[in-house]
Amino acid sequence: MVDVLAAPQQAKTDASLRTLAAISTAHWVSHFHMLVLPMLFPFLKEQLGVGYIELGFVLTVFAVISGLTQAPMGYLADHIGARKILLMGLTLGGFALIMLGLHLSYSWLIASAVLLGLANSVYHPADYAILSAHMDPARMGRAFSIHTFAGFLGGAVAPAIVAALVAMTGGHGALIVAGAVGPLVALLLIVVGIPDASAADRKVDGVHEPQQSIITPAIIVLTIFFMLLSLSNAGIGNFGVVALMSGYGESFSAANIALTVFLGASAVGVLAGGVLADHTRRHGQVAAACFAVNAAIMLAIATIALPSLLLLAAMGAAGFLGGVIAPSRDMLVRSAAPAGAAGRVFGIVSTGFNLGGIVSPLLFGWIMDQNSPRWVFGASVVFMILTVLLALVTDRGPQESFDEPDARLMQP
């Protein structure tokens, strides 16, 4: 009898793990594809005869398109199904790189950036909608953390993979092979049979739950929260190396090691944060506490000439704490989402990342042009303090309305 009762639960667990692995693989692809073009800038500059301003414009196009289409993609994920949107995003992103490899020109490069931005807008709304609907609520934080870690990993290995592809197949071949990863993973998700998530899944006794407005003060605050998170980390990630070299006298290799420690510790912190998020409902307080300590660490880096080993330790601690808050950040959004609207809500708040991605290169580039490299870290402190305040504002009890349908679906 025990075996008979345990079998359905084991099958449900296996299906959840399969879904998590598949969605995390798709998130890996999204971060990998984001870095393919930047890693090929030297090749593109030589082949197309353009400058870095023209190549930088390509990244701006990508960020703007991705930001403008996040919310519409969230709407589509909730109304026609997150699975369809995710599969289309994987395929479209791959197609953009393949076509650029076959028809290399600056106009095709801009078109590729547009398509990649459109494809990138799919992942957060679709991924989080599926995970929110089909993961065990008691392990949701860990599921979010594994999903985020997979994205970090995709970005971390992109430089090495692209370099290897260029060495083996040349720049054209690297674009085609990197692009082919998208459709192949889409095919894998079809074979695995990932479940769908849409508003149609949120029925009670065959009746749709009433529509609720998703443009609430909480969602607006969370969107700003995501933008501040992006601004807090973007300066360090994009300008940390040059800031450490010009403002602290660090060598190129030492500055790169410090940034690597920061990013690597962030990935580890994400996994630790997933466990923490599953053991508390005060996700805003977790985020506020981590970023308050982070602000203190960054203030020390900005104002004190730390010895190299202590600088590495400080960068590692800051990266770890920054990673810890990621699952709690996602749980805050899930708690604020009305039933059946996870795709739209995650789509809306994720535009905050894109806004930060548009503003941060201009802001931190201006700071470096003013010969104030320490303010790369000082400005991050300001954004972290603002993030702490917003995290406390958003720290409300989770909405039971979101978890109740999950509980009903889990009943035998």
Side-chain angles (χ1 to χ4, degrees):
M1 177 62 72
V2 172
D3 290 340
V4 171
L5 293 175
Q9 186 61 40
Q10 182 61 43
K12 187 179 297 183
T13 300
D14 291 344
S16 295
L17 290 175
R18 220 170 27 247
T19 298
L20 177 58
I23 298 302
S24 297
T25 302
H27 199 214
W28 183 98
V29 173
S30 76
H31 281 249
F32 173 69
H33 275 178
M34 276 193 288
L35 287 181
V36 170
L37 292 183
M39 293 303 102
L40 288 173
F41 271 1
F43 164 77
L44 295 171
K45 184 176 185 295
E46 179 183 351
Q47 291 291 311
L48 301 177
V50 297
Y52 283 112
I53 292 178
E54 288 85 356
L55 294 175
F57 177 69
V58 171
L59 299 185
T60 300
V61 169
F62 169 86
V64 169
I65 295 299
S66 185
L68 290 175
T69 54
Q70 288 263 3
M73 286 300 171
Y75 177 87
L76 288 176
D78 283 338
H79 284 79
I80 71 172
R83 179 174 55 197
K84 300 183 188 72
I85 296 300
L86 180 57
L87 294 176
M88 286 189 287
L90 285 164
T91 305
L92 181 62
F95 172 79
L97 293 174
I98 292 171
M99 291 306 297
L100 182 61
L102 295 175
H103 304 281
L104 188 61
S105 67
Y106 188 70
S107 58
W108 267 105
L109 180 58
I110 296 297
S112 179
V114 171
L115 296 178
L116 284 169
L118 185 60
N120 184 65
S121 70
V122 161
Y123 293 102
H124 276 196
D127 287 4
Y128 283 113
I130 293 173
L131 292 177
S132 293
H134 297 285
M135 294 296 105
D136 182 352
R139 295 180 175 86
M140 192 65 68
R142 277 165 284 185
F144 283 163
S145 73
I146 292 170
H147 172 262
T148 302
F149 176 80
F152 278 38
L153 183 62
V157 301
I161 292 177
V162 172
L165 289 175
V166 170
M168 290 187 295
T169 66
H172 293 270
L175 285 166
I176 293 170
V177 175
V181 172
L184 287 175
V185 171
L187 181 61
L188 173 66
L189 266 58
I190 293 172
V191 172
V192 169
I194 59 168
D196 206 352
S198 69
D201 298 324
R202 294 286 180 175
K203 292 182 179 180
V204 180
D205 296 330
V207 179
H208 285 285
E209 294 186 1
Q211 292 290 322
Q212 302 180 51
S213 173
I214 59 171
I215 308 299
T216 63
I219 300 304
I220 294 172
V221 170
L222 282 167
T223 303
I224 300 172
F225 178 60
F226 270 53
M227 182 182 70
L228 291 174
L229 282 174
S230 175
L231 290 169
S232 299
N233 293 314
I236 302 167
N238 294 330
F239 292 89
V241 170
V242 293
L244 289 172
M245 291 175 64
S246 61
Y248 299 78
E250 297 289 338
S251 67
F252 178 73
S253 59
N256 271 286
I257 289 172
L259 181 60
T260 300
V261 168
F262 176 83
L263 296 175
S266 295
V268 176
V270 166
L271 295 177
V275 177
L276 181 60
D278 281 337
H279 288 83
T280 180
R281 291 194 171 191
R282 310 310 297 176
H283 304 296
Q285 290 183 5
V286 170
C290 288
F291 253 52
V293 178
N294 229 346
I297 294 172
M298 283 298 156
L299 182 61
I301 294 174
T303 58
I304 303 172
L306 299 174
S308 294
L309 287 179
L310 194 54
L311 176 63
L312 284 177
M315 291 289 283
F320 180 82
L321 290 169
V324 165
I325 75 161
S328 290
R329 170 203 75 194
D330 296 335
M331 293 295 282
L332 282 171
V333 179
R334 184 176 185 268
S335 296
R344 280 168 288 169
V345 169
F346 274 102
I348 290 169
V349 299
S350 293
T351 59
F353 279 142
N354 299 110
L355 292 173
I358 293 168
V359 172
S360 61
L362 302 174
L363 172 63
F364 288 100
W366 178 81
I367 288 173
M368 290 301 299
D369 283 341
Q370 302 306 305
N371 295 317
S372 303
R374 287 181 178 269
W375 269 101
V376 168
F377 298 96
S380 295
V381 172
V382 174
F383 291 127
M384 287 178 182
I385 292 172
L386 293 174
T387 304
V388 169
L389 297 176
L390 274 186
L392 293 175
V393 169
T394 58
D395 195 8
R396 301 179 306 151
Q399 293 179 5
E400 297 300 326
S401 62
F402 200 106
D403 287 338
E404 286 172 0
D406 290 323
R408 286 193 301 270
L409 290 172
M410 293 174 65
Q411 291 176 357

